Amino acid sequence: MGNSGSPAGFPNENSHPSTVTTFPRGGPTGKKAVVAAALAKPATKKLIKDAEIEDITNENYPDEIESFDYPNAEITDVIKAISDLTGKNFIIDSSVHGKISIVAPSKVTVAEAYKAFLAALAANGFTVVPYGKFLKVKNSKMAKNDSIPTYSGAYYPTSDIFVTKIIHLKHISADDIKKNLGTISTRDGDVSAYAPTNSLIINDYGSNVDKITKIIDELDKPG
C-alpha cells in the first residue's frame, strides 16, 4: 500500500528526522507532556526486549529534542516522558514520589535526556533496576536487595544506575582498604570485604563505582 502521509506538524513514521521537536521551555506536564513525548519517539528506537540499563546511547538514540526542561516537576510525569521517548517500560515503586528538577532548555539527544533523568533520580535517592521487559524505579537503599547487575571484569556502567562491582585485589588487603573507602561511598552505597578471595564488593551508583575503582587502581600496586 502507498503511504498516505502524515498530518501537518506530525512526524511521518517512515521518516528519519535529525531533530525532533518536543518539550517547550518551561517543562510540559500532564497531557501536554505525554503528547509532546509521543511526537518525539526517535526513529532509531530499538524493539523492546529484556530491559537493559546501558543500551540507551547516542549511537542508537541520536535524535535531538528541543529541550528537556522539568523544573520542580512531579517525578511520575518525568518517568512518563522518558518512557515515551525511549520506548522503555517502567514499574514505579510505591516509595517513589515527590518532585525533581531537570533544567535543560537547550537541545539534547534522547540519550542525554535519559542520562540526566538517571542523575536526577540518583540525586533524590532513586534508581532503576532491570526486571524482564521492565525497569523498576525504586529507592536506592532497597535496590541492593534486588536484581541489580553485578560486574567483575574491566567493564561496568559509569552512569547513575545502581550496580554491584566486585574487585579482586592483588597487593593490598581488602579489609584494610575497606576502612578507607567506606567514607567515599554515597549515602545509599556501601563497600564490604570478602577475605577468602581478598576482594571488595561495592554496591553504589555506577558513577561512584568508577571513582572508587580508579582510586583502587592507584593503590593496588606492588610495594
Side-chain angles (χ1 to χ4, degrees), residues 22-38 40 65-85 98-106 108 113-114 116-117 120 124:
T22 56
F23 311 121
R25 187 168 184 169
T29 58
K31 292 183 178 179
K32 291 183 179 179
V34 174
V35 172
I65 55 178
E66 289 297 325
S67 72
F68 194 67
D69 213 17
Y70 276 87
N72 199 34
E74 290 291 337
I75 190 170
T76 51
D77 287 343
V78 182
I79 294 172
K80 174 59 179 173
I82 280 292
S83 177
D84 288 329
L85 280 171
K99 296 186 177 182
I100 59 177
S101 291
I102 300 174
V103 181
S106 58
V108 295
Y114 183 69
F117 164 71
N124 289 272

Side-chain angles (χ1 to χ4, degrees), residues 62-141:
D63 294 329
E64 290 184 327
I65 55 178
E66 289 297 325
S67 72
F68 194 67
D69 213 17
Y70 276 87
N72 199 34
E74 290 291 337
I75 190 170
T76 51
D77 287 343
V78 182
I79 294 172
K80 174 59 179 173
I82 280 292
S83 177
D84 288 329
L85 280 171
T86 63
K88 296 295 185 183
N89 300 321
F90 288 89
I91 298 173
I92 305 174
D93 189 88
S94 60
S95 65
V96 179
H97 55 79
K99 296 186 177 182
I100 59 177
S101 291
I102 300 174
V103 181
S106 58
K107 288 183 179 180
V108 295
T109 66
V110 172
E112 289 168 339
Y114 183 69
K115 187 175 182 179
F117 164 71
L118 293 178
L121 287 182
N124 289 272
F126 303 118
T127 190
V128 294
V129 178
Y131 183 72
K133 293 183 178 180
F134 292 82
L135 291 170
K136 293 188 288 186
V137 183
K138 63 187 306 179
N139 188 292
S140 296
K141 290 183 178 179

Side-chain angles (χ1 to χ4, degrees), residues 166-211:
I166 300 175
I167 300 177
H168 303 289
L169 303 174
K170 298 178 180 178
H171 307 287
I172 54 179
S173 165
D175 285 321
D176 289 343
I177 198 68
K178 171 188 174 295
K179 299 174 184 177
N180 296 289
L181 290 179
T183 58
I184 304 178
S185 300
T186 64
R187 63 182 180 182
D188 301 317
D190 61 54
V191 179
S192 58
Y194 184 66
T197 58
N198 196 37
S199 302
L200 289 175
I201 303 173
I202 307 170
N203 296 297
D204 214 327
Y205 297 104
S207 55
N208 204 54
V209 168
D210 188 49
K211 175 183 177 181

